[in-house]
Amino acid sequence: MASSTVTSAQPERPPRPNLAFRRLRGKRSPAEFAAAVRRAAREIGERVSCDARYVGRVEAGEIRCPNYAYERVFLHMFPGRTLTDLGFAPRSSVRGRQARTPGESRGAGEPYETHDTQDVRDTQDLQGLQDLYETHDNNEESDVLRRAFMTSGATVAAASLGPLGPALDAAAAGRPTRRAGTGEAGALEEAVRRIRLLDDRHGADGLYRRAAAPLRTAYALLDAGASRQATADRLYTGAGELAISVGWLAHDSGRFDDARSHYAEALATARMNGDAGLEAHAFCNMAFLARDAGRPREAVRAAQAAQRAARPLGSDRLMSLLALREAGGWAGLADRVGCEQALARAQAFYGRGPSDTDPEWMSFYGEAELEGLEAQCWSTLGDWPRAARHARRAADLQDPHFTRNLALYSAELADDLARGGRPDEAAGAGMRVLDLLGEVQSSRIHTMLAGTARVLLPHRRSPAVSTFLDRHTALPRPA
């Protein structure tokens, strides 16, 4: 199907791999190195949405010169080295860029290096690719970057809209969308990253309706076609991943029917383009949704379908996560043996370690997530002490960068402790969740906390429980 979107054009000049940067990564996987980049950014007060795909694009030579935010982070990570030492081209030599003058205001710019004149025009149209939470005080910033929305009372850049701004505006006005180039493909991939980053930090509530517009634009770009096969493939994958991201926002905010529709759209996109990785991702999320929607047998079958699609991809970490999805289905069916067998497979796959074949979207999946999903299995089976042990470990292991997951694991711990007859400890864990709700908006977490509060009501005479219940009662209800 993808070939029909491609028209004849001159072949792209292949980028030159950045071997110096690859050597600096050493034995760390792209995901592990990306995590190190994010930690280094926090150390110097920067915010970058680095993930495994970004690292891969740098090493492949597709990003010839990083934006200013990444430049500061890389030079902090490798003191004494210059950008040239890191394998990058001088900023002044990269087409479509100009070296920053001493008085120039701070800006992240466009992270994707382009290869032809049309792509340079695309880059100029897509100046919205700036890092999240950066202060946009440049008088020449695009109208798209001025769009912001409120999340947890703080103004956050509308990152899900920015990268696709020009195409989005054309779609909204009913104008034809021009054929996509590498600029649009890169912008689509960046939109996916930024939606994921916002969700990691703030949860899905408030993001879902904002993310629907770029999804429509992504499929408009597919319909318009692309000038090269490689670009068409990137568009299909990007549109499918965006559909999954939007589906997850619907899922996490309790809109299960919407989520099911978006996941199905992603699955259809994967199969049209023969993309096994996207198919595995879509089935993975469909299994998770089926479990949450009370369809455990469907969860098992979707997880097994995901494993069949993923097996040739060679990612043990992906197979581990998919085994956990299957375990969740078996737990919902009250099949303890099936659940334990799937959990054992998940642990075995995880123990084989990360690899370069691990998908970019799995940057969230580490030991904390493994422990958290296992806690959910034991909770479903009614083994509260065992569930609480795993939930506590998940909360202790969680990288603070993933604020939403930290709140989720703490909410799981509070509920397991409450149902296991330890009300004071449950109240303490619940208070930690309440502290995080200023940053996180997730209907899932609000629902879990409400259930915990109901379980703790008979223990209201305890000062700790009373304090938690009073604070929970005063909590603003999610919209």
Side-chain angles (χ1 to χ4, degrees):
M1 293 294 294
S3 60
S4 64
T5 67
V6 181
T7 58
S8 61
Q10 295 300 315
E12 292 188 37
R13 290 176 295 167
R16 179 178 299 174
N18 186 337
L19 300 180
F21 199 86
R22 175 62 186 89
R23 285 192 293 271
L24 289 170
R25 175 160 67 85
K27 295 182 179 180
R28 289 175 287 188
S29 73
E32 290 171 329
F33 187 78
V37 171
R38 295 194 301 269
R39 285 195 297 271
R42 291 196 294 272
E43 290 171 1
I44 61 173
E46 288 288 355
R47 291 183 182 270
V48 296
S49 52
C50 187
D51 52 25
R53 184 183 289 268
Y54 180 89
V55 174
R57 292 179 69 79
V58 171
E59 293 178 359
E62 296 179 27
I63 300 175
R64 291 177 54 202
C65 185
N67 63 40
Y68 291 114
Y70 276 106
E71 176 184 351
R72 286 186 285 272
V73 175
F74 291 150
L75 297 183
H76 171 68
M77 292 177 69
F78 304 106
R81 289 184 168 93
T82 66
L83 283 182
T84 304
D85 296 333
L86 301 181
F88 293 109
R91 192 173 301 281
S92 58
S93 71
V94 178
R95 284 184 299 170
R97 292 182 181 268
Q98 294 179 346
R100 182 172 52 175
T101 63
E104 182 179 343
S105 62
R106 180 172 174 267
E110 159 68 74
Y112 294 98
E113 176 53 27
T114 53
H115 300 287
D116 58 28
T117 304
Q118 179 62 48
D119 290 343
V120 171
R121 287 198 297 270
D122 292 339
T123 301
Q124 292 167 347
D125 286 342
L126 295 167
Q127 289 297 312
L129 292 177
Q130 300 223 9
D131 280 309
L132 288 170
Y133 307 102
E134 189 167 15
T135 301
H136 304 296
D137 52 4
N138 188 336
N139 290 332
E140 296 179 344
E141 72 179 344
S142 70
D143 289 340
V144 173
L145 284 172
R146 293 191 185 97
R147 300 172 189 163
F149 60 94
M150 301 301 292
T151 300
S152 302
T155 301
V156 179
S160 62
L161 302 179
L164 292 173
L168 189 153
D169 292 339
R175 301 194 304 270
T177 303
R178 65 174 179 171
R179 283 205 308 273
T182 56
E184 282 87 358
L188 177 55
E189 292 161 351
E190 184 71 4
V192 175
R193 294 188 187 102
R194 296 193 175 194
I195 288 173
R196 289 173 181 161
L197 185 59
L198 282 171
D199 175 55
D200 289 338
R201 291 177 177 172
H202 298 287
D205 293 6
L207 294 178
Y208 172 59
R209 297 196 185 282
R210 293 280 180 171
L215 179 59
R216 289 192 298 271
T217 303
Y219 280 95
L221 289 172
L222 278 184
D223 191 57
S227 58
R228 298 181 177 90
Q229 180 67 55
T231 301
D233 290 343
R234 285 176 64 189
L235 287 172
Y236 268 92
T237 299
E241 290 292 348
L242 186 55
I244 291 173
S245 292
V246 176
W248 165 248
L249 295 179
H251 180 174
D252 194 44
S253 56
R255 301 173 174 93
F256 288 178
D257 289 342
D258 288 354
R260 189 178 180 90
S261 175
H262 290 306
Y263 292 159
E265 187 171 36
L267 180 60
T269 302
R271 288 183 165 175
M272 282 191 291
N273 205 39
D275 190 331
L278 180 60
E279 180 174 344
H281 192 185
F283 271 128
C284 175
N285 279 44
M286 292 171 82
F288 197 11
L289 175 65
R291 188 207 70 171
D292 286 354
R295 299 190 299 270
R297 195 170 302 280
E298 179 184 326
V300 170
R301 297 188 66 178
Q304 291 171 342
Q307 290 170 75
R308 288 193 296 272
R311 198 164 287 118
L313 302 178
S315 170
D316 291 322
R317 287 289 166 90
L318 176 56
M319 293 299 292
S320 173
L321 176 60
L322 298 177
L324 283 168
R325 295 286 187 248
E326 182 182 342
W330 289 124
L333 291 168
D335 187 334
R336 190 182 184 98
V337 172
C339 180
E340 289 178 336
Q341 290 174 344
L343 288 173
R345 291 201 311 275
Q347 292 281 2
F349 277 120
Y350 188 87
R352 296 178 186 177
S355 72
D356 291 345
T357 58
D358 295 339
E360 174 192 355
W361 59 266
M362 286 189 63
S363 59
F364 73 93
Y365 185 59
E367 193 175 359
E369 181 74 3
L370 175 69
E371 293 287 343
L373 291 175
E374 183 164 353
Q376 292 174 15
C377 289
W378 295 119
S379 178
T380 303
L381 290 168
D383 191 337
W384 311 117
R386 198 167 186 175
R389 284 198 303 273
H390 286 283
R392 189 186 303 278
R393 182 163 171 76
D396 290 343
L397 289 169
Q398 182 55 55
D399 183 343
H401 171 76
F402 295 101
T403 312
R404 178 199 164 277
N405 279 4
L406 182 59
L408 177 65
Y409 303 147
S410 299
E412 176 70 34
L413 174 61
D415 198 62
D416 294 334
L417 290 170
R419 297 177 189 278
R422 297 156 70 180
D424 287 349
E425 290 181 68
M431 291 292 284
R432 289 192 292 275
V433 180
L434 291 172
D435 290 339
L436 293 169
L437 289 184
E439 302 176 48
V440 176
Q441 291 188 348
S442 169
S443 292
R444 172 191 299 272
I445 294 171
H446 278 280
T447 300
M448 293 173 66
L449 211 56
T452 301
R454 287 192 295 271
V455 174
L456 290 178
L457 275 174
H459 305 277
R460 192 180 185 98
R461 291 184 178 181
S462 162
V465 172
S466 179
T467 301
F468 165 72
L469 291 175
D470 289 344
R471 189 172 167 193
H472 179 263
T473 300
L475 194 68
R477 299 298 96 183

